[in-house]
Amino acid sequence: MVEVADKQKKYFNPNIKNKKKLQAEIRNLKIELLINQLSFNKELYIGKTVQKGGFMPTAADIKHNTGRELQIKVFDNLINKLKILLKKPDEPFNHFDWKLDFPEVLNPYLVNGKGGFDIVIGNPPYLNFKMYSTEDKEVYRHLFSEVFDGKADIYYYFFYKSHELSKSQGITSLITSRYWIEAEYAKKLRKFVSTKTTLKEIIDFKNVTVFDGIGIKTCITSFLNIPDYLTLFHYRFHPGKKIDYIDLSEYVSNIIPKENIIAKDSWNLTNEESTDILKLIEKDAISLEEIANCKQGIVTGLDKAFITTENEFKNLPKKIVKPWLKVGDIQKYAIELVEKRELVYTKLINSLDDYPQLKQRLLSFKTKLSNRREAKNGKIRWFDLQWPREQELFESEKLICRFKASENTFCYDANGFYSSADTTVVALNESGKEKYETKYLLALLNSKVLSFYFKSYGKLMDYRYEYYPGPVGRLRIKITTEQKCYSTIVDYILFLKTQELQSVSDQLMPTYFEQIIDGMVYELYFPELLKKHNREIIKHLGELPEFTDSMSNEQKMKICKKVFDRLNDKEHPVRINLFYMNSIPEIAIIEGKNENN
């Protein structure tokens, strides 16, 4: 081993000329070392794994002995292959072993417990988890269990390996996809980095594309290979869209205390002022998932088989035909259908033979439907929806949001829409129904406060955040005795979004009511702050007439106009307080109007 290390040092010496001969000598030394190691391992195995049964072996003995002989043959085959390679110097030997190729750094027999590289720099491959096989995943699960997740991209394991290859207090710097900072599936990686290393700096390019032709957004992460060495680290991010080179003076820089990340599922990488705001939002609040079910929409497995826009299911029973909602139909507060669509909900079909026309339609897709994983393993029938979810989720009063959006975008539905896989559905659970109104939740979830909160931990991808069920469930909800005020104004907004508003004044109404909701939510989450600055909203609202089922659209419009005209009067305290709301520094930060945040 020492001889290999000496020859490698000579090989990298610029003054050595006969490198080809030296390379051949290193090759042969490596082969000899491997032959000796395998021969030693073989004898060790033979000594530990004795033959069983003597002249009258049992079935178990025969199985044991057969396995033993096969393993010995594996050793012999490898040793023979290496001996042949030793006799054929022109044949390539492409074996790599850290301890063989860097013995003076990593071989424990040579470094006396002080092994490892001083610096590890890397740009791991950008391979999505979908690109490797089940067998590959099992290998990664075994080798990298501390950071492994079934949906982990391959660069996660480079963090682990870098830590393994570095010496104590060695430094690693990797440029990778930035998504691990927030991704739901990177919890174990974040825990590993925060507990096994000391972060020095993250340079987050956010929406900037660094590599030409590569759409993946990146970051540079630098850490020391020792935990708890520093209590603070720098998180720097670029607020723009394009850069020609890295100039850190153009980056927003936050100094992050380690307590913001240590062993936490999600990291808080905001500055001190924003962190204080997040704490106020969380104070006396509960997570949405405690009071509501947050679920992904339906995965059909083949949309064109189960969905129509041409009224093809008109002869089927209404109980199995459902109105279908796609992500493009979801707007803030209300559904705005691009076109009418229907879904056939095959979960309710006992026998496809009962519906000949439907059977004929689905038979044309049978090959593709039968090749779906769940159909192959017998979990579903060939004509079933892949993941149909529970009917109750869609039939109940609910909220729906897009999987990807630039801000919180939740709409209200009480018409039994079933929604596509790229949506998240939120429906109050039994305990939630006892204390909360769905429309009150809608007001909170669409507010600037909770949009700001979501962006503090949500995964950012190309200017949009991922509103998957898990992250949505972590939004923080506060309760109030004034829920009816919120719900009433939400009713105004929902109604106005169904009307064709002609005049400029009328078109302002839904926007102004949304601004009032934002003001009310500010007061709910920061009551002392608004009281201190004399910017309260709720006590100035006055009478808010409620809609009834018997009212005509004309009557509802009359109510909306009357309330709007009153609250929008230039002397009214609601209008005045809304206008000056972002003069409060904390509100300015939430609304992105503070240059330093």
Side-chain angles (χ1 to χ4, degrees):
M1 191 70 74
V2 174
E3 192 176 354
V4 171
D6 288 341
K7 287 185 182 293
Q8 284 176 329
K9 284 180 182 177
K10 289 179 182 178
Y11 181 82
F12 289 106
N13 186 331
N15 298 318
I16 298 296
K17 293 183 179 179
N18 195 358
K19 293 198 175 188
K20 192 171 183 180
K21 179 186 175 187
L22 202 54
Q23 189 176 21
E25 291 173 359
I26 293 170
R27 171 191 182 275
N28 290 342
L29 276 172
K30 284 184 179 181
I31 293 173
E32 288 172 1
L33 277 168
L34 285 170
I35 290 171
N36 292 336
Q37 184 64 56
L38 285 168
S39 299
F40 175 78
N41 290 348
K42 173 188 168 183
E43 295 305 318
L44 194 66
Y45 177 79
I46 290 171
K48 285 185 175 181
T49 315
V50 297
Q51 198 163 5
K52 293 182 179 180
F55 294 106
M56 298 183 66
T58 64
D61 292 336
I62 292 171
K63 183 178 179 181
H64 167 83
N65 294 339
T66 302
R68 180 176 181 272
E69 291 302 317
L70 288 172
Q71 183 58 57
I72 292 170
K73 283 184 179 179
V74 169
F75 280 119
D76 288 337
N77 287 337
L78 287 172
I79 291 167
N80 288 333
K81 284 181 180 179
L82 289 168
K83 286 180 177 178
I84 292 169
L85 273 174
L86 200 57
K87 294 176 182 178
K88 296 181 178 181
D90 294 331
E91 284 200 18
F93 176 60
N94 297 319
H95 176 81
F96 178 83
D97 184 290
W98 285 104
K99 293 174 184 177
L100 270 180
D101 287 88
F102 296 93
E104 74 280 15
V105 178
L106 293 169
N107 195 286
Y109 299 107
L110 299 180
V111 297
N112 297 320
K114 297 180 180 179
F117 291 99
D118 294 296
I119 301 172
V120 176
I121 298 173
N123 178 14
Y126 292 21
L127 297 178
N128 186 274
F129 73 93
K130 296 177 182 176
M131 298 173 70
Y132 39 84
S133 66
T134 302
E135 291 76 17
D136 291 335
K137 289 182 182 180
E138 286 306 310
V139 172
Y140 298 143
R141 184 194 302 274
H142 175 71
L143 293 176
F144 309 110
S145 59
E146 279 193 82
V147 298
F148 176 82
D149 182 283
K151 295 188 177 181
D153 290 342
I154 200 167
Y155 70 86
Y156 287 26
Y157 312 128
F158 281 76
F159 280 86
Y160 183 92
K161 198 66 182 177
S162 299
H163 174 266
E164 194 176 70
L165 295 175
S166 298
K167 64 168 52 175
S168 177
Q169 295 191 41
I171 188 167
T172 292
S173 189
L174 301 175
I175 182 166
T176 67
S177 158
R178 68 165 304 282
Y179 306 134
W180 73 276
I181 299 172
E182 303 128 349
E184 199 172 355
Y185 304 113
K187 289 178 183 177
K188 290 174 74 174
L189 175 59
R190 288 193 294 271
K191 180 179 179 181
F192 178 83
V193 171
S194 67
T195 57
K196 297 295 180 69
T197 78
T198 294
L199 271 172
K200 284 179 63 67
E201 181 180 58
I202 296 176
I203 301 175
D204 186 357
F205 298 109
K206 283 211 167 182
N207 292 307
V208 174
T209 300
V210 174
F211 298 113
D212 290 338
I214 303 294
I216 294 173
K217 305 304 185 288
T218 53
C219 71
I220 298 173
T221 307
S222 301
F223 57 84
L224 292 170
N225 196 33
I226 184 173
D228 303 322
Y229 190 75
L230 302 170
T231 58
L232 303 168
F233 70 94
H234 285 278
Y235 171 69
R236 312 180 198 274
F237 67 90
H238 196 283
K241 298 180 181 179
K242 186 178 180 180
I243 58 172
D244 295 317
Y245 56 90
I246 296 177
D247 179 357
L248 290 182
S249 67
E250 297 177 354
Y251 288 65
V252 178
S253 183
N254 295 337
I255 296 176
I256 309 298
K258 191 164 185 179
E259 66 188 46
N260 282 23
I261 66 166
I262 186 74
K264 292 186 176 180
D265 284 349
S266 64
W267 288 358
N268 174 12
L269 300 177
T270 60
N271 59 21
E272 187 176 354
E273 292 86 354
S274 294
T275 297
D276 289 341
I277 294 171
L278 296 175
K279 288 178 180 177
L280 286 175
I281 293 172
E282 292 172 348
K283 184 181 178 183
D284 300 325
I286 61 172
S287 61
L288 179 62
E289 63 191 358
E290 293 180 56
I291 59 169
N293 297 311
C294 304
K295 304 288 185 181
Q296 183 188 13
I298 290 172
V299 178
T300 67
L302 189 64
D303 278 7
K304 61 184 178 181
F306 302 101
I307 297 163
T308 180
T309 59
E310 299 176 359
N311 205 25
E312 294 174 73
F313 302 146
K314 62 183 178 182
N315 295 323
L316 293 175
K318 289 185 178 180
K319 71 173 185 177
I320 64 170
V321 178
K322 308 296 180 182
W324 183 248
L325 194 71
K326 293 196 72 172
V327 68
D329 303 322
I330 297 171
Q331 304 301 327
K332 204 167 186 179
Y333 282 97
I335 293 169
E336 296 180 17
L337 286 176
V338 175
E339 60 181 338
K340 181 183 176 182
R341 307 177 195 86
E342 290 180 325
L343 165 81
V344 58
Y345 195 69
T346 56
K347 184 179 179 180
L348 299 178
I349 294 176
N350 292 322
S351 173
L352 194 56
D353 291 331
D354 294 338
Y355 309 98
Q357 283 184 307
L358 177 62
K359 182 177 181 179
Q360 185 178 359
R361 171 193 172 88
L362 293 178
L363 280 171
S364 64
F365 301 105
K366 185 173 182 180
T367 301
K368 288 185 177 179
L369 292 173
S370 299
N371 281 326
R372 294 174 298 167
R373 182 184 60 194
E374 285 73 13
K376 279 185 173 182
N377 61 28
K379 288 186 177 180
I380 61 173
R381 299 167 296 183
W382 71 265
F383 60 86
D384 276 331
L385 296 163
Q386 190 159 318
W387 292 334
R389 313 302 179 199
E390 294 301 320
Q391 267 190 284
E392 184 182 356
L393 181 69
F394 300 103
E395 300 288 348
S396 61
E397 184 185 30
K398 61 186 178 293
L399 309 176
I400 310 171
C401 72
R402 303 176 175 205
F403 254 20
K404 295 183 179 181
S406 59
E407 63 177 358
N408 290 20
T409 306
F410 291 80
C411 70
Y412 176 80
D413 175 48
N415 293 315
F417 273 97
Y418 285 55
S419 63
S420 57
D422 49 1
T423 64
T424 291
V425 182
V426 179
L428 285 167
N429 58 31
E430 291 307 312
S431 63
K433 289 175 184 177
E434 294 176 4
K435 295 182 179 180
Y436 297 88
E437 296 180 19
T438 298
K439 289 175 183 175
Y440 167 71
L441 278 188
L442 180 62
L444 268 54
L445 294 178
N446 275 337
S447 68
K448 290 178 180 177
V449 169
L450 289 191
S451 196
F452 172 82
Y453 186 76
F454 188 91
K455 291 175 183 180
S456 73
Y457 65 83
K459 180 181 174 183
L460 176 65
M461 289 191 72
D462 297 324
Y463 304 97
R464 297 186 299 170
Y465 294 85
E466 291 187 348
Y467 285 83
Y468 293 173
V472 167
R474 289 171 49 203
L475 285 164
R476 306 292 286 186
I477 306 299
K478 291 197 177 187
I479 197 165
T480 176
T481 57
E482 307 284 350
Q483 288 189 47
K484 185 54 68 178
C485 291
Y486 293 80
S487 298
T488 299
I489 296 179
V490 167
D491 275 332
Y492 297 167
I493 295 169
L494 292 174
F495 168 72
L496 290 168
K497 285 182 177 285
T498 66
Q499 304 301 299
E500 291 188 14
L501 305 174
Q502 301 298 326
S503 70
V504 174
S505 177
D506 287 353
Q507 291 170 5
L508 283 174
M509 284 194 290
T511 302
Y512 187 61
F513 286 133
E514 287 183 41
Q515 291 173 358
I516 291 173
I517 288 287
D518 277 324
M520 294 166 70
V521 177
Y522 283 138
E523 186 173 347
L524 176 65
Y525 282 83
F526 316 115
E528 294 175 5
L529 198 60
L530 266 68
K531 188 174 183 179
K532 173 185 172 182
H533 291 271
N534 197 25
R535 294 289 172 242
E536 293 160 297
I537 298 294
I538 296 173
K539 70 179 183 180
H540 299 299
L541 288 174
E543 183 185 4
L544 298 173
E546 296 177 33
F547 291 162
T548 64
D549 293 338
S550 61
M551 283 184 180
S552 65
N553 285 349
E554 289 76 14
Q555 289 172 310
K556 291 178 180 179
M557 183 61 77
K558 187 176 180 180
I559 288 174
C560 289
K561 286 185 176 182
K562 184 177 180 180
V563 174
F564 172 74
D565 289 341
R566 177 171 59 83
L567 297 180
N568 193 42
D569 183 272
K570 63 181 180 180
E571 301 298 330
H572 198 284
V574 167
R575 176 170 171 172
I576 293 169
N577 288 347
L578 287 175
F579 183 81
Y580 289 106
M581 189 68 73
N582 60 32
S583 65
I584 302 172
E586 290 83 353
I587 305 301
I589 291 172
I590 289 173
E591 297 189 355
K593 295 176 180 176
N594 186 313
E595 293 182 358
N596 297 318
N597 292 276

